[in-house]
Amino acid sequence: MASTAHPTLPESVRHGLRAIVFDTNSFPRGGLDLGILKDWGERAAEEGFEVWVPEPVVWELAEHAAASWEAWRASTNKARKAMQAAGLEVATSDSPYSTREEVMAAVERSIRGLAPSVRILELDGDLAAAALRDQVQVSTPAKKKSDVKTGAADSAWIRQVLRAADDDVDSFVLVGADADVYQAFTGWGLPKPHMVPLRALPESLFVLRAPSDEIRNTVVEFLQGVVGLPLEAGRTPDGDLVLGEVTDLAKLLQDWELDQVRDVEFGRIHALIGMNQMTISRRGLVTAQVFLLADAQYNGSRVNEDGSTSGHSVIIPQVLVRDVVSFTLDEGLVTRARSETGQAVAYRVDDSAYSDPDEAFNEFLGALSLIPGLDGDLGGGTYGSTNSDARVNDFELNVATEECGGDPMWSATLTLSKEGWSRSMEVRCEWDLARVPYEMPDLLPAYVLVTDDLDDPPVPAGWAASAWVINHVWPRPLADGPTALPATPGAA
């Protein structure tokens, strides 16, 4: 559920750091994310180091963008011809670019336009010649792929970085995890370079600390404010929140739904269901792992019995989205929230079931652990004996469970209270007979979590308790009123 931690770089490296270096492989799937590059350029300037992008990397990023443009144009042209054949009017052009060269030139201008926050390392002629020699002679880092010699680009940009760093390997950090780069340094008799994945850069470069309760509350209130908003390409309408790209949203579909699917996109944010791993850097940038419930929609076509096709669109109601988000605060308000790495993860949770009651109980406790600012351990027993207390801001939270000895197998009662006010909800673990194959009753997971205390829209019962607590401690704003839920103590 949580991301894997990466060790902080040695203090000598962090204090003597001259630059972080972006390669093509630094970005998700090798494609340029200009926003990430810009954000790190600004962060580096404030922290006293630089961002370097070697010129061969700029060229390669530009070529990848041109390849994406060509794929888009081919798809668009095919659709345009089909529409014209149907007698529909079609716009003559949907792109300001007419050639690959125009696309690559535009990408180069965009990257170079980030100066001085981002420094392009221009390739020296003698290093270009040395890199070409490496490829021709198949010297490290060059190699053969199906009798084709490659590696000149890697040799060139690595050599340029070393020259810019005066051959001091401890003065820069490479963004990524490319084994070929390690091999190049080893082959040249150099120390192993410091290489850190994009997702782990903040914790590796900076000494982070826990934020204050006030800052945490500001971030949670901001996230509660985006609940109900639609997402377009992972962005809320005003761009206040930008989530990372999910590699393949089509994986959210069931096998029987995969026939002739054209695209899958996120729809609307339905709930904030958790947040953890919250830190703040010296310059005040807040980072946290965020869990949101959203829906998604897929569009496609179906083949009818007569051989014709018809359009097809279906809503996937409950998708759990996990992303590491950085929050920029100004005068006590969140002014921008953006995916730290440009990548998010999504899971379909509208049909969750478990193999046994213990697995369901652990999932229930895992969701509760993601309540922001939870002070206390709610997992101090089994589902037959738990009676635990914790605090969330100024609220008291009690979780009491009991083994029911049948169906349900166990139940959990949550009680949230403050200054004479209290609310309760119940979650139960039940056996779903509809999931059980008649001849092989143990074939599929069939224990499910249910609750009668659902918000609108419903939140899966495995996450309903954490969402319920969050919605009472930090009530959602309404366009025409102070809160979206019954007033809690101290609420306006």
Side-chain angles (χ1 to χ4, degrees):
M1 184 179 296
S3 64
T4 302
H6 195 278
T8 302
L9 289 165
E11 184 175 353
S12 59
V13 174
R14 289 187 288 106
H15 284 251
L17 186 66
R18 291 182 57 182
I20 58 173
V21 182
F22 277 82
D23 173 26
T24 309
N25 296 322
S26 303
F27 300 96
R29 295 164 300 284
L32 172 65
D33 188 322
L34 199 67
I36 288 177
L37 201 56
K38 180 180 179 181
D39 287 348
W40 272 103
E42 294 173 352
R43 191 179 308 188
E46 294 184 10
E47 295 286 350
F49 58 90
E50 295 183 316
V51 168
W52 292 351
V53 183
E55 193 172 31
V57 173
V58 175
W59 297 338
E60 192 168 4
L61 291 171
E63 193 282 327
H64 287 189
S68 298
W69 172 80
E70 285 188 311
W72 169 84
R73 185 181 63 171
S75 176
T76 302
N77 287 343
K78 181 179 179 180
R80 180 180 289 114
K81 290 177 181 178
M83 293 173 67
Q84 289 173 335
L88 300 175
E89 294 185 6
V90 183
T92 57
S93 176
D94 296 318
S95 172
Y97 313 109
S98 57
T99 66
R100 281 174 48 87
E101 288 71 24
E102 288 182 6
V103 174
M104 290 187 287
V107 171
E108 286 199 39
R109 285 196 301 271
S110 297
I111 298 175
R112 294 181 184 277
L114 298 179
S117 295
V118 176
R119 177 184 169 192
I120 308 300
L121 300 184
E122 306 290 345
L123 182 60
D124 294 336
D126 63 322
L127 298 185
L132 182 59
R133 183 180 64 242
D134 287 340
Q135 178 167 305
V136 171
Q137 298 179 350
V138 197
S139 302
T140 302
K143 57 187 175 182
K144 279 188 175 182
K145 293 181 180 179
S146 301
D147 293 328
V148 176
K149 298 175 181 179
T150 65
D154 282 348
S155 177
W157 77 255
I158 295 172
R159 289 177 182 275
Q160 194 64 61
V161 167
L162 286 169
R163 176 169 289 179
D166 300 320
D167 292 328
D168 183 359
V169 176
D170 282 339
S171 69
F172 60 87
V173 171
L174 302 175
V175 183
D178 191 341
D180 289 341
V181 174
Y182 281 138
Q183 291 175 4
F185 279 74
T186 302
W188 292 339
L190 296 172
K192 187 177 180 181
H194 303 286
M195 193 178 302
V196 179
L198 182 60
R199 61 174 171 77
L201 265 183
E203 62 189 283
S204 297
L205 294 179
F206 311 127
V207 175
L208 306 175
R209 65 183 191 277
S212 65
D213 292 348
E214 181 181 4
I215 290 176
R216 184 192 63 235
N217 291 342
T218 297
V219 169
V220 176
E221 288 163 4
F222 166 82
L223 291 170
Q224 285 285 73
V226 302
V227 170
L229 296 181
L231 292 169
E232 183 173 349
R235 296 171 176 261
T236 52
D238 292 334
D240 295 338
L241 173 65
V242 181
L243 295 177
E245 182 181 354
V246 176
T247 304
D248 186 5
L249 277 173
K251 291 181 179 178
L252 298 175
L253 305 182
Q254 308 290 355
D255 290 342
W256 61 268
E257 297 171 322
L258 290 174
D259 187 33
Q260 300 187 51
V261 172
R262 290 195 300 271
D263 59 71
V264 185
E265 296 289 344
F266 282 125
R268 192 171 296 274
I269 301 172
H270 291 304
L272 168 65
I273 55 179
M275 186 178 75
N276 67 357
Q277 299 181 10
M278 192 174 193
T279 57
I280 183 170
S281 70
R282 290 197 310 266
R283 72 183 188 97
L285 186 72
V286 179
T287 303
Q289 185 169 232
V290 174
F291 297 78
L292 299 170
L293 187 73
D295 61 31
Q297 176 175 310
Y298 77 83
N299 301 299
S301 58
R302 283 180 173 171
V303 179
N304 303 317
E305 292 183 0
D306 61 2
S308 63
T309 60
S310 57
H312 182 51
S313 180
V314 173
I315 296 293
I316 304 171
Q318 295 170 343
V319 176
L320 173 62
V321 185
R322 185 191 79 203
D323 200 356
V324 177
V325 179
S326 60
F327 301 86
T328 302
L329 277 66
D330 185 16
E331 297 183 354
L333 296 174
V334 175
T335 58
R336 183 173 63 174
R338 179 185 174 87
S339 173
E340 184 76 8
T341 66
Q343 288 183 293
V345 179
Y347 309 89
R348 187 167 179 169
V349 293
D350 60 326
D351 197 34
S352 297
Y354 307 95
S355 299
D356 56 60
D358 291 296
E359 182 184 4
F361 186 64
N362 290 335
E363 187 75 6
F364 167 72
L365 292 180
L368 289 180
S369 71
L370 299 179
I371 297 172
L374 182 70
D375 184 9
D377 184 7
L378 295 176
T382 67
Y383 60 74
S385 61
T386 293
N387 192 334
S388 302
D389 294 298
R391 293 186 64 85
V392 185
N393 275 6
D394 295 326
F395 290 77
E396 299 286 344
L397 175 62
N398 173 264
V399 178
T401 65
E402 63 175 339
E403 187 172 1
C404 302
D407 195 11
M409 298 297 296
W410 57 263
S411 67
T413 301
L414 288 85
T415 302
L416 191 66
S417 58
K418 178 182 178 181
E419 300 173 359
W421 172 96
S422 69
R423 293 287 188 277
S424 296
M425 75 168 295
E426 183 184 68
V427 176
R428 302 183 300 278
C429 176
E430 297 181 352
W431 174 257
D432 186 0
L433 187 62
R435 298 173 183 269
V436 183
Y438 178 73
E439 296 183 2
M440 292 179 289
D442 297 327
L443 180 64
L444 298 174
Y447 289 96
V448 297
L449 295 177
V450 298
T451 180
D452 300 324
D453 301 277
L454 294 176
D455 294 327
D456 185 22
V459 175
W463 299 91
S466 58
W468 178 83
V469 172
I470 290 170
N471 286 340
H472 280 85
V473 177
W474 297 275
R476 297 191 303 270
L478 285 176
D480 55 354
T483 64
L485 297 169
T488 54

